[in-house]
């Protein structure tokens, strides 16, 4: 099995371009484990944050609809662990599917499979392990939630292939990444209603915004090797599409708040998130990869603002 060089963490050229510098996984884990941590993207935590936050939205909004109070802290922790594990599983599957493309894209050429650190067979075994761990997490919830959570695997499985056949792979990513809005609600209520469905739809629109920003980093390489994205489709008109996606996301999320019986604090939270989205639009530069990456990462703040608004509304009103 591959053993990473001891000096890897100190040499940025051996890391994937958008990884966080000097991440704990590169310093603490033994050499043999680091490629698997990279398969999970542990050194890029923004991904699991973006998967987790809709779960917390659904959980907090469900608590508002149930009359307020403290959302179940155990469920919040399970969602955190589950998001890290299942984001890792999704990334591993994506790397297996994209192994013939990643080596031809500057930003992804040092991922573990194209870099020769992990074989496809090893990655498949690791994927199975992560899915089993995710199942253990999911089984802690009611059976309606278990069934809904399991259904998301269909979308997760098809997403890595969407960039080959549609200009809208970001929409499919949104369907997968925001499934937790439904699961978070169901964990409390054991059923669905229009409020969580609107919250889910708002999350999908949000993903269309932030992942279009992210896709602008790869648009030249994607065009050369025949992959598709909303960044390529929208081109110079991207800013107007981003504004529309953010506006749609905020409108749907606020509508979900109304239907769930939310009060002024939750609406103020949505308004504050709108200000953060406006800040992103004002700074967006489609041909500046570093700026696009920074704006993409800032969506953790957008999501946390929504979460805080929901939580305070549940606790204080």
């Amino acid at each position: 099995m591959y053993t990473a060089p001891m000096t890897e963490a100190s040499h940025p050229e051996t890391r994937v371009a958008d990884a966080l510098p000097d991440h704990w996984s590169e310093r603490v884990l033994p050499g043999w484990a680091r490629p698997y941590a990279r398969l999970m993207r542990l050194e890029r935590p923004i991904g699991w944050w973006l998967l987790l936050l809709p779960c917390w939205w659904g959980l907090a909004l469900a608590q508002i609809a149930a009359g307020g109070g403290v959302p179940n802290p155990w469920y919040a922790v399970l969602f955190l662990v589950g998001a890290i594990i299942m984001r890792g599983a999704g990334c591993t599957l994506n790397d297996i599917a994209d192994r013939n493309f990643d080596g031809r894209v500057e930003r992804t050429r040092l991922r573990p499979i194209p870099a020769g650190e992990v074989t496809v067979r090893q990655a498949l075994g690791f994927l199975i392990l992560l899915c089993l761990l995710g199942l253990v997490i999911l089984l802690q919830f009611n059976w309606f939630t278990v069934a809904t959570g399991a259904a998301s695997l269909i979308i997760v499985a098809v997403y890595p292939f969407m960039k080959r056949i549609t200009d809208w792979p970001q929409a499919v990513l949104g369907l997968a990444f925001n499934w937790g809005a439904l699961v978070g609600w169901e964990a409390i209520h054991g059923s669905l209603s229009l409020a969580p469905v609107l919250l889910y739809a708002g999350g999908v629109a949000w993903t269309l915004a932030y992942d279009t920003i992210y896709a602008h980093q790869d648009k030249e390489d994607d065009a050369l090797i025949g992959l598709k994205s909303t960044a390529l489709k929208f081109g110079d008109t991207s800013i107007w599409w981003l504004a529309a996606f953010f506006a749609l996301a905020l409108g749907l999320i606020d509508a979900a708040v109304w239907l769930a019986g939310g009060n002024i604090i939750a609406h103020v939270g949505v308004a504050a998130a709108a200000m953060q989205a406006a800040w992103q639009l004002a700074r967006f530069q489609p041909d500046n990869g570093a700026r696009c990456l920074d704006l993409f990462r800032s969506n953790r703040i957008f999501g946390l603002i929504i979460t805080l608004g929901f939580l305070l509304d549940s606790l204080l009103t």
Side-chain angles (χ1 to χ4, degrees):
M1 186 174 292
Y2 171 83
T3 301
M6 295 300 292
T7 58
E8 181 178 83
S10 62
H11 291 282
E13 68 273 10
T14 66
R15 296 194 310 265
V16 174
D18 56 355
L20 291 180
D22 199 31
H23 188 261
W24 67 264
S25 63
E26 297 292 323
R27 292 182 286 103
V28 175
L29 294 179
W32 65 265
R34 292 176 195 164
Y36 294 96
R38 293 189 207 109
L39 275 179
M40 293 183 68
R41 311 287 200 271
L42 286 184
E43 81 285 9
R44 296 163 59 195
I46 182 59
W48 61 255
W49 272 109
L50 295 175
L51 186 61
L52 168 66
L53 288 166
C55 301
W56 282 356
W57 293 356
L59 183 65
L61 192 66
Q63 193 65 46
I64 290 173
V70 180
N72 190 309
W74 174 237
Y75 287 171
V77 172
L78 288 176
F79 285 137
L80 169 61
V81 177
I84 295 172
I85 290 172
M86 293 313 298
R87 188 275 187 120
C91 289
T92 301
L93 176 61
N94 188 77
D95 282 9
I96 293 170
D98 284 354
R99 61 189 183 276
N100 295 323
F101 293 99
D102 283 346
R104 300 159 62 187
V105 176
E106 180 63 25
R107 188 179 55 82
T108 60
R109 64 184 177 85
L110 292 178
R111 284 179 177 172
I113 295 177
E117 297 175 336
V118 174
T119 67
V120 174
R121 173 180 253 181
Q122 289 170 330
L124 281 170
F126 188 56
L127 173 61
I128 293 171
L129 174 62
L130 291 174
C131 288
L132 290 174
L133 292 173
L135 178 61
V136 171
I137 297 294
L138 187 60
L139 289 174
Q140 308 306 305
F141 297 98
N142 62 66
W143 285 108
F144 193 88
T145 303
V146 171
T148 302
S152 70
L153 295 178
I154 299 172
I155 306 172
V156 173
V158 302
Y159 165 69
F161 305 97
M162 291 298 101
K163 65 191 74 172
R164 298 160 171 78
I165 63 176
T166 178
D167 292 324
W168 294 83
Q170 281 68 31
V172 182
L173 181 69
L175 294 174
F177 255 56
N178 294 280
W179 202 260
L182 305 177
V183 174
W185 177 281
E186 291 170 356
I188 300 298
H189 293 284
S191 63
L192 279 176
S193 63
L194 184 56
V197 171
L198 290 180
L199 184 66
Y200 173 63
V204 174
W206 176 46
T207 300
L208 276 164
Y210 69 64
D211 206 53
T212 296
I213 294 172
Y214 186 80
H216 271 279
Q217 298 176 92
D218 296 335
K219 57 188 176 183
E220 289 83 5
D221 287 329
D222 285 349
L224 286 173
I225 61 181
L227 298 180
K228 302 179 180 183
S229 72
T230 49
L232 286 171
K233 180 175 179 61
F234 302 151
D236 292 339
T237 67
S238 288
I239 184 64
W240 303 110
W241 286 92
L242 294 177
F245 291 144
F246 274 126
L248 180 60
L250 291 158
L252 289 168
I253 293 169
D254 204 55
V257 171
W258 281 108
L259 287 175
N263 293 289
I264 187 64
I265 297 177
H267 293 296
V268 169
V270 175
M275 295 177 64
Q276 201 280 335
W279 175 85
Q280 290 188 58
L281 293 172
R283 291 178 54 82
F284 177 64
Q285 295 177 1
D287 297 321
N288 185 334
R291 174 66 61 83
C292 288
L293 179 59
D294 286 343
L295 293 179
F296 167 74
R297 287 174 172 164
S298 80
N299 279 277
R300 180 179 65 170
I301 299 173
F302 178 101
L304 284 171
I305 291 171
I306 297 288
T307 304
L308 181 61
F310 286 4
L311 179 60
L312 291 177
D313 192 285
S314 185
L315 293 173
L316 302 177
T317 58

